[in-house]
Amino acid sequence: MKGWMRMMLAAVLVLFLAVPAGAASAATQVESFLTVAADGSCQVTTTVTLRLEQASGDLQFPIPMGAANVTLNGSRAKTTAGGDRLYVDLSKAYGSVTGNISFSLNYTLYGVTEENGEGVLELRLPLMSGFSFPVDAMNFSITLPGEIPGRPAFTSGYYQSSIEKYLTFTQEGTTIKGSTTQSLKDHET
């Protein structure tokens, strides 16, 4: 009876130790550089450092639907549509890897500006599109084709409008630079 209890206790301890290790995968750093052209198109470069605690055969990175000319580390990327996003397939390059990996995505977005009904042009740029891992730290830089007429507003799929209290940002001429002040939850948009 004591042997059985010891085995059960050992199994429970292994379970408790295994769960946090699987949950520890995260994007340790995400850097996004966005350059908006006068025609309303936007060139996006995102570099991600990802800590993988276990191999994943279906590793993907979500980007906005409508992204064009998508490259992964300088080569054409395989994408699939799902819901309101495109998913860049990382599994071929990184699916069997554990530890730290880094990759760079480049793509173009079109039609990122629209009139808001009051004759004011609004710019909507998605910095994240619902990545499956928490993001420990994020930096971003957005360069616009002209002066910034007002204070930018940020919204979040998880935090809603309160995301701004978790961001610091500055406006310097035609550029907005910012970073997160805490980890973002997974599936953040």
Side-chain angles (χ1 to χ4, degrees):
M1 183 72 158
K2 282 186 178 182
W4 183 79
M5 289 292 280
R6 284 185 184 151
M7 287 190 331
M8 286 301 290
L9 181 60
V12 169
L13 287 175
V14 168
L15 178 64
F16 280 121
L17 292 173
V19 171
S25 292
T28 57
Q29 181 68 45
V30 175
E31 294 189 355
S32 292
F33 301 94
L34 299 91
T35 303
V36 180
D39 66 1
S41 64
C42 179
Q43 183 61 43
V44 179
T45 300
T46 299
T47 303
V48 178
T49 301
L50 184 60
R51 182 183 62 243
L52 293 172
E53 296 297 327
Q54 59 190 34
S56 175
D58 62 346
L59 189 59
Q60 306 175 74
F61 190 85
I63 59 175
M65 185 63 81
N69 307 316
V70 182
T71 63
L72 171 63
N73 298 330
S75 298
R76 186 179 176 140
K78 178 184 174 191
T79 61
T80 55
D84 60 348
R85 299 178 182 112
L86 287 176
Y87 292 91
V88 178
D89 181 16
L90 303 173
S91 60
K92 186 174 182 180
Y94 304 109
S96 61
V97 175
T98 59
N100 291 329
I101 62 167
S102 292
F103 58 90
S104 182
L105 293 167
N106 291 292
Y107 54 91
T108 305
L109 296 173
Y110 295 98
V112 295
T113 59
E114 62 183 48
E115 196 172 312
N116 71 356
E118 299 174 9
V120 176
L121 232 116
E122 287 186 347
L123 171 67
R124 295 188 180 267
L125 289 173
L127 295 175
M128 292 294 294
S129 295
F131 194 34
S132 296
F133 297 100
V135 176
D136 291 342
M138 180 176 182
N139 297 318
F140 59 90
S141 174
I142 303 167
T143 302
L144 302 172
E147 289 298 317
I148 302 167
R151 184 179 188 279
F154 297 90
T155 59
S156 154
Y158 182 85
Y159 295 103
Q160 304 300 312
S161 61
S162 68
I163 186 67
E164 289 193 22
K165 67 182 177 183
Y166 304 115
L167 299 174
T168 59
F169 66 93
T170 59
Q171 291 177 226
E172 301 167 8
T174 62
T175 302
I176 301 166
K177 292 181 180 181
S179 61
T180 56
T181 59
Q182 74 171 39
S183 291
L184 301 176
K185 308 296 184 195
D186 58 344
H187 299 289
E188 184 58 71
T189 55

